[in-house]
Amino acid sequence: MEFRLLQYVIQIAAERNFSRAAEKLHIAQPSLSQQLSKLEKELGVLLFKRSTNSVELTHAGSVFVDKAQRIVDMTEQLRREMEDIADLRKGRIVIGSLPMTGTHVLPLVIPAFRAAYPDIEIALVEETSAELEQLTASGGTDVSVLSLPLVEQALTYEPIMEEGLLLAVPSEHRLAARRAGEPVAVEELREESFVLLKKGQGFRDISLRMCRGAGFEPKIAFESGNIETVQSLVAAGLGIAFVPEMVTRQSGQGLAPKYVPLLGAPTRTLVIAYRKGRYLSNAAEAFISTIRRVIGGAESGRSGSGGG
């Protein structure tokens, strides 16, 4: 059995379509079908149920894909380990990030990483929380910057920072007139209309849990895929929203809401996540070390300046 046949079957299973799989594999569809038929004959089992409109895995096919993926992953890990042994200063790292987090964290970390490891190639992948977790679990990224909790059980993580959460309200909102620094209890927001991120975004789940923890389901006025749009809608008087401290707008940065502290000073935990049991290349280890150093230093500096 040739190694490339494992990759063929994995791609067909992923695409559920011979034409798309053939295109991704850069081979002709008839050749792909012929190779699969030859493999099935060699194995003595059907791997796929074919019909006019669909291609579905059989039970044997599911077992085959699971084992084949492990072999492909192990081969890739072996290749990376050999590259690291051959030249510790070279490599490639694929970093996943949420749009909201990437905008504020990666511009601090990537320049420091490049300065220390100029020969390591960096590729960025930006997706929603749900998509990024699945991608990281399947090996599509080496590491990803995410926020807790993680849904995907195949992932493990290292915390990198705790970030405060604030309440964003329109400037004319009753809560905007509170004495500076006076916190708001989430329970007080029961009758308010909320602007939330769309489904699949991790921070949406954080917002929902905060409301449900206070005993109510939030009334959702608007949803957006972008935290900046959320803040603009709040500033325009269309609702209120929870926001991470790092994305707050300063006066003079366009339409800005008012930010009010929350009782209990809730936080979210940002983590660097990767698949359990996966070999971490030297490049990935170096990136994790860099993000700890840079973000940790930025947090210490922020605390120090606040104390003055």
Side-chain angles (χ1 to χ4, degrees):
M1 185 188 306
E2 298 180 46
F3 181 80
R4 62 186 174 86
L5 295 179
L6 305 183
Q7 296 172 309
Y8 289 179
V9 175
I10 291 170
Q11 195 67 53
I12 296 169
E15 299 295 337
R16 294 290 198 273
N17 181 281
F18 277 87
S19 296
R20 289 196 299 269
E23 184 178 347
K24 292 285 182 65
L25 293 165
H26 305 292
I27 62 173
Q29 180 184 337
S31 177
L32 178 61
S33 299
Q34 185 180 21
Q35 291 293 328
L36 177 63
S37 297
K38 183 178 177 182
L39 175 62
E40 289 177 326
K41 184 176 181 181
E42 177 185 340
L43 296 173
V45 294
L46 283 177
L47 301 179
F48 295 92
K49 292 181 286 187
R50 305 161 178 82
S51 67
T52 305
N53 299 318
S54 68
V55 178
E56 299 292 334
L57 281 167
T58 62
H59 173 67
S62 296
V63 173
F64 186 94
V65 168
D66 179 62
K67 302 293 185 183
Q69 186 66 63
R70 293 186 199 179
I71 293 170
V72 170
D73 287 348
M74 289 176 66
T75 302
E76 174 63 14
Q77 289 177 20
L78 178 59
R79 183 187 66 79
R80 292 190 177 200
E81 289 184 48
M82 294 303 102
E83 286 180 351
D84 283 345
I85 291 171
D87 189 345
L88 297 179
R89 297 294 294 179
K90 291 187 178 180
R92 183 175 188 270
I93 181 170
V94 181
I95 302 166
S97 177
L98 308 172
M100 177 168 59
T101 305
T103 301
H104 296 82
V105 173
L106 295 185
L108 298 174
V109 177
I110 289 179
F113 182 78
R114 274 198 164 154
Y117 307 97
D119 293 326
I120 294 178
E121 179 188 350
I122 302 170
L124 296 179
V125 177
E126 200 173 66
E127 292 288 355
T128 64
S129 303
E131 291 170 334
L132 202 54
E133 285 193 33
Q134 292 176 4
L135 193 62
T136 308
S138 66
T141 71
D142 294 296
V143 296
S144 290
V145 181
L146 295 163
S147 62
L148 295 182
L150 302 182
V151 176
E152 180 57 64
Q153 296 298 307
L155 298 181
T156 188
Y157 62 86
E158 298 182 28
I160 54 176
M161 69 176 288
E162 288 287 328
E163 181 184 20
L165 306 181
L166 299 172
L167 179 69
V169 300
S171 57
E172 68 278 7
H173 195 279
R174 61 182 178 82
L175 294 174
R178 283 204 175 190
R179 182 164 49 89
E182 183 180 355
V184 174
V186 178
E187 288 84 354
E188 297 180 51
L189 309 176
R190 183 182 300 271
E191 300 304 320
E192 299 287 344
S193 295
F194 283 79
V195 183
L196 296 183
L197 288 170
K198 291 182 178 179
K199 292 180 180 179
Q201 302 275 10
F203 195 75
R204 174 194 175 94
D205 297 332
I206 291 174
S207 298
L208 291 174
R209 280 200 308 277
M210 290 174 67
C211 292
R212 290 165 181 167
F216 68 93
E217 195 71 21
K219 300 175 183 177
I220 302 173
F222 292 95
E223 296 177 321
S224 172
N226 188 303
I227 192 65
E228 295 302 331
T229 303
V230 168
Q231 295 196 85
S232 293
L233 292 173
V234 170
L238 299 175
I240 66 173
F242 299 119
V243 297
E245 192 171 1
M246 72 167 65
V247 307
T248 55
R249 297 174 177 177
Q250 304 300 316
S251 57
Q253 289 184 327
L255 197 61
K258 295 291 184 181
Y259 301 103
V260 183
L262 291 161
L263 190 65
T267 63
R268 70 166 178 161
T269 304
L270 293 182
V271 302
I272 190 83
Y274 46 91
R275 193 175 65 196
K276 291 177 183 175
R278 177 172 185 169
Y279 166 73
L280 282 178
S281 67
N282 284 352
E285 294 279 12
F287 182 80
I288 293 172
S289 177
T290 302
I291 201 169
R292 282 201 217 101
R293 173 171 55 82
V294 172
I295 300 302
E299 289 297 290
S300 298
R302 188 179 304 168
S303 300
S305 61

